[in-house]
Amino acid sequence: MKNVIITGANSGLGFETAKKIAANKEYRIILACRNMGKAQAAKEDIIAATGNENVEVQIIDTSSFESVHNFAKNIIDSGIRIDVLINNAGISPMRGTGLTADGFDIVFETNYLGHFLLTQLLLPVMNADCRIINITSDMHNPPYGLTWPGVEKIAYGDVDTRSRYAYSKLCMIYFTHALVNHFEKTDKTFVANSFNPGFMADTNFSQGSGKAREQMVKLTAPDRYSTLAQSSIALAEVATSPALADVTDQYFDRSTNTIRSSALSYNQHNAIELWNDSLKFCHLL
Ligand SMILES: NC(=O)c1ccc[n+]([C@@H]2O[C@H](COP(=O)([O-])OP(=O)(O)OC[C@H]3O[C@@H](n4cnc5c(N)ncnc54)[C@H](OP(=O)(O)O)[C@@H]3O)[C@@H](O)[C@H]2O)c1
């Protein structure tokens, strides 16, 4: 039995990907969600659709260090080994403002820092061929451009509002690079990759922005467009396909194809700064 953890798995990309992976009964899926009611409903839907009874719920709120620690403790205490970790949970700045109880910008902690902490805590219980997939976005490279203001400004939300999401997703790509760099310096054989699902109008993510936004993206940025069906099939493949077992430090673009991410996302200095500051923020040093 292989064990897959997917954060934010009660809706959208996380849910559809969980369902696709669960179709293969070789996999146990842990739905890592913040809302028990929604997560239980998702679990029942996946079991009904796939006949795979090995679907479980564990509560996690990626915007809370305490919750991430509790989740990791439950996983570690259960004695399972992890084969796939998909760091998927995310919010848009339209749905989250202000600082978390830990003192960080809520978009930064929910989308990136909570996943950084979660991954660090779970490294000791990963199987040798574990795959870590960080969900990013092509908005890590927004049309209006992005420069690096330093980690502190991003972490505390001291950046313009529209860029908070872009920075959180840029951080996911830096995290992928830094993880692979870390594995190379240790005896770890895990792989880590970034995955861009593209613009999916059919998830809860941009709820409220409606058909008009979908049409606008289709017309003005067809190169950003995807569907939940297309991206979840691709993500399930990236998580499980034997052909992709050794691919590491890549950026998957809405498919099993890899492309270059933005030039800024390859800046090693920024990736190291983010890694070191994140260790400090999470009290892991
Ligand atoms: N949709 C797009 O166009 C698009 C484009 C590029 C990238 N993405 C990325 O794709 C990922 C999935 O998004 P989606 O489109 O599938 O949207 P979605 O349907 O809104 O799914 C997001 C999931 O994350 C969960 N979540 C949010 N905050 C959380 C927290 N603090 N702790 C735990 N779980 C939390 C949500 O739980 P609740 O149901 O409890 O809120 C939900 O299950 C996100 O990382 C997003 O940034 C989406």
Side-chain angles (χ1 to χ4, degrees):
M1 180 73 60
K2 292 187 177 216
N3 295 304
V4 180
I5 295 176
I6 308 178
T7 65
N10 58 272
S11 73
L13 183 67
F15 173 73
E16 285 301 325
T17 305
K19 195 157 62 172
K20 289 187 171 73
I21 297 175
N24 180 343
K25 291 187 184 154
E26 199 191 326
Y27 288 92
R28 177 196 285 129
I29 317 289
I30 296 164
L31 310 176
C33 304
R34 61 177 166 178
N35 180 301
M36 182 54 93
K38 288 188 199 175
Q40 284 292 353
K43 170 184 161 172
E44 282 160 29
D45 282 355
I46 294 171
I47 293 174
T50 63
N52 185 343
E53 298 278 340
N54 288 308
V55 182
E56 296 173 14
V57 169
Q58 290 278 353
I59 293 299
I60 189 170
D61 178 345
T62 59
S63 70
S64 157
F65 288 166
E66 185 184 7
S67 176
V68 173
H69 275 282
N70 288 339
F71 176 91
K73 185 175 184 314
N74 287 339
I75 295 291
I76 293 164
D77 289 351
S78 74
I80 65 161
R81 311 280 308 175
I82 300 162
D83 298 283
V84 179
L85 171 63
I86 303 181
N87 289 322
N88 165 73
I91 53 168
S92 83
M94 287 182 294
R95 301 181 87 193
T97 52
L99 301 181
T100 65
D102 301 309
F104 299 98
D105 171 50
I106 193 166
V107 175
F108 176 78
E109 186 167 349
T110 303
N111 295 5
Y112 161 70
L113 191 62
H115 287 119
F116 175 88
L117 176 60
L118 175 66
T119 306
Q120 296 290 347
L121 296 175
L122 294 181
L123 286 177
V125 294
M126 289 179 182
N127 274 330
D129 57 353
C130 186
R131 304 181 193 194
I132 300 164
I133 305 168
N134 293 323
I135 304 304
T136 180
S137 168
D138 45 21
M139 283 302 284
H140 78 275
N141 185 23
Y144 52 81
L146 212 59
T147 52
W148 185 249
V151 174
E152 298 234 332
K153 282 196 183 321
I154 298 168
Y156 300 119
D158 188 13
V159 291
D160 69 293
T161 298
R162 68 177 179 170
S163 299
R164 287 159 60 226
Y165 180 73
Y167 282 122
S168 75
K169 292 301 179 181
L170 177 62
C171 288
M172 288 299 252
I173 302 179
Y174 283 144
F175 180 34
T176 300
H177 296 321
L179 263 177
V180 172
N181 191 32
H182 173 69
F183 298 155
E184 282 166 2
K185 287 191 195 139
T186 60
D187 57 354
K188 303 268 190 282
T189 51
F190 316 137
V191 299
N193 289 291
S194 302
F195 181 91
N196 165 41
F199 178 79
M200 303 171 292
D202 43 356
T203 72
N204 290 341
F205 194 74
S206 353
Q207 215 176 34
S209 47
K211 282 274 163 209
R213 182 158 176 253
E214 181 183 349
Q215 287 305 331
M216 193 265 292
V217 172
K218 261 187 184 166
L219 284 172
T220 59
D223 52 328
R224 283 197 56 211
Y225 195 76
S226 184
T227 63
L228 179 53
Q230 179 192 323
S231 291
S232 60
I233 288 170
L235 180 55
E237 281 284 297
V238 172
T240 62
S241 166
L244 299 172
D246 297 326
V247 177
T248 196
D249 207 10
Q250 298 296 311
Y251 176 88
F252 286 93
D253 182 33
R254 294 165 290 174
S255 67
T256 53
N257 296 330
T258 63
I259 61 168
R260 297 274 297 172
S261 45
S262 70
L264 181 63
S265 74
Y266 291 95
N267 184 305
Q268 284 185 20
H269 177 269
N270 297 347
I272 292 167
E273 180 197 358
L274 179 68
W275 175 272
N276 289 336
D277 282 0
S278 300
L279 287 173
K280 275 186 234 150
F281 294 154
C282 295
H283 313 291
L284 294 174
L285 276 182

